[in-house]
Amino acid sequence: TGVGGRGRAYAARTRMAAAASRVLQLTLRQGGETAGLIDRRRLFQWLLALGELLGADTAVEGGLHGPALYLSTMHSPVIASKWSSYFDTTAHHGRPFKRVSDRAGCLAADSPRRLAELYYGPRSWQCLNLTLNPYMLQINHSELAVDFAGVGAGLARRYVDTFHRQPPLLAPSRAVTRRVRLAERRLNFSAYGAVHIRRADRKPERLGCTSPAAILNRMEQRKPESWVVFAYTQTFGNKTRGRRGGSWAEYHDGEDQAYLPALRLALARLPVPVVYESQLFPAEARGAAPADNYKTFAAIDHMMGMAAIRGACIDTQFCRGNEPTGGWNG
């Protein structure tokens, strides 16, 4: 390899040593608020990307045992005690699920400008508490370069890239993938497409996107061997919190009792089998006891992602007029 190869190897070892001794600690939980599983995954993937950018290790409050500090009980009455119930925590050398330490002398980063100063300034810091809301960088990325004026617009562009490039992946846990495989074997289906129908927080003018006719029309444009359908049918109204039908979520006034039968009737026209969530996960459908809905959603998310890879994924979370979109945003 010559001198160049030895130099690159030395530089790589130096970066690894620096990362091992420098740590980013996510000490802000969105102002103390909690959120759903996909939101938290995005947050942690961003933290991993930022750690790569700054050459640092990453840690979160509670470490591996921190789900209750970050996940909302609004979506599930039961929350697992470890992140390993949802994510593959053995990847990335355990990052970002290391526990925040009480290391004295940690610096604080409460703004993009402060992060820029730390990036371009001396790298002598060893511990950094992140107390800024990272989502403001995604929402206001057009203003980020202005915020960095005089400090370095180059980092502003890199910072935006940590949101919009493919972040380090937080894959599902083995328990999640095993649950999906067991459901596939039990129902004897594969190479399926997947549909995610979300009406609970759709305004009335956007409900056309989730009509049985619109869903059927979109499904007929795809040709998988079978379909799985995940449908949430509460109608728009005043938000309440409670338990109905054995599941927990943020509910709205009026359950659309007619929607699911109408959907099943419309989709019966398809020439391939259609499997519904209640068939995939019958224990949760029966509602015999409070369940960890995050585990179920992690399985749904995994199935939607695999269907998206096959080009047979339909998601009504984002619509174009009365047309549901393809792809899966999680």
Side-chain angles (χ1 to χ4, degrees):
T1 59
V3 175
R6 289 195 298 272
R8 285 191 295 272
Y10 175 78
R13 288 195 301 272
T14 301
R15 287 194 298 270
M16 291 174 63
S21 60
R22 186 182 298 132
V23 61
L24 295 174
Q25 301 192 143
L26 186 63
T27 55
L28 177 72
R29 301 192 305 276
Q30 294 292 94
E33 296 178 3
T34 54
L37 190 68
I38 299 302
D39 182 281
R40 302 295 84 174
R41 183 177 66 190
R42 289 173 181 153
L43 178 65
F44 294 157
Q45 288 181 162
W46 172 83
L47 180 63
L48 283 170
L50 182 60
E52 289 184 1
L53 180 66
L54 296 177
D57 207 345
T58 49
V60 297
E61 290 190 6
L64 183 63
H65 297 271
L69 298 175
Y70 289 93
L71 293 175
S72 172
T73 55
M74 181 181 295
H75 301 296
S76 177
V78 177
I79 296 174
S81 61
K82 293 184 179 181
W83 285 114
S84 54
S85 294
Y86 311 121
F87 303 123
D88 179 4
T89 57
T90 64
H92 311 292
H93 302 286
R95 303 184 184 100
F97 301 110
K98 299 184 178 182
R99 185 183 294 272
V100 166
S101 70
D102 296 324
R103 193 185 301 182
C106 290
L107 299 178
D110 57 2
S111 70
R113 177 177 291 276
R114 180 58 174 151
L115 277 178
E117 292 170 349
L118 292 169
Y119 180 80
Y120 285 107
R123 294 293 186 92
S124 58
W125 59 271
Q126 296 298 308
C127 179
L128 181 64
N129 291 331
L130 287 171
T131 59
L132 79 160
N133 179 350
Y135 285 103
M136 72 181 181
L137 302 173
Q138 184 181 35
I139 296 169
N140 299 321
H141 63 265
S142 62
E143 301 173 8
L144 192 57
V146 177
D147 294 339
F148 278 110
V151 180
L155 179 59
R157 288 190 294 271
R158 292 189 186 187
Y159 219 106
V160 173
D161 286 344
T162 65
F163 270 111
H164 296 288
R165 72 178 176 86
Q166 181 65 38
L169 179 65
L170 276 183
S173 69
R174 292 180 181 178
V176 168
T177 57
R178 182 170 59 250
R179 187 181 190 194
V180 169
R181 287 196 304 271
L182 289 173
E184 292 171 346
R185 292 171 185 169
R186 178 169 50 81
L187 296 171
N188 192 29
F189 74 105
S190 60
Y192 50 84
V195 185
H196 177 247
I197 301 172
R198 179 169 161 175
R199 289 169 65 86
D201 52 1
R202 298 294 78 140
K203 294 183 178 180
E205 61 268 22
R206 296 189 63 188
L207 287 180
C209 168
T210 63
S211 70
I215 298 297
L216 175 63
N217 179 64
R218 190 73 175 182
M219 292 172 74
E220 287 177 332
Q221 299 172 30
R222 306 286 192 271
K223 304 297 180 184
E225 296 179 6
S226 57
W227 285 98
V228 292
V229 176
F230 307 105
Y232 307 94
T233 62
Q234 292 76 28
T235 55
F236 184 81
N238 295 323
K239 295 181 179 180
T240 59
R241 291 175 63 182
R243 185 174 188 230
R244 298 181 188 173
S247 62
W248 288 72
E250 182 174 323
Y251 288 102
H252 297 249
D253 290 345
E255 188 92 15
D256 190 347
Q257 299 287 351
Y259 178 81
L260 195 54
L263 179 70
R264 287 177 178 267
L265 182 63
L267 301 191
R269 304 173 194 172
L270 291 167
V272 296
V274 179
V275 176
Y276 293 87
E277 181 179 344
S278 58
Q279 297 168 269
L280 286 171
F281 310 119
E284 284 82 350
R286 289 194 299 270
D292 185 344
N293 290 340
Y294 287 121
K295 288 183 180 179
T296 299
F297 187 77
I300 293 171
D301 174 62
H302 182 51
M303 298 181 77
M304 292 292 295
M306 290 192 296
I309 292 172
R310 291 190 283 268
C313 180
I314 299 170
D315 182 17
T316 67
Q317 185 172 354
F318 302 100
C319 300
R320 298 186 185 95
N322 285 334
E323 279 289 314
T325 66
W328 175 238
N329 295 286

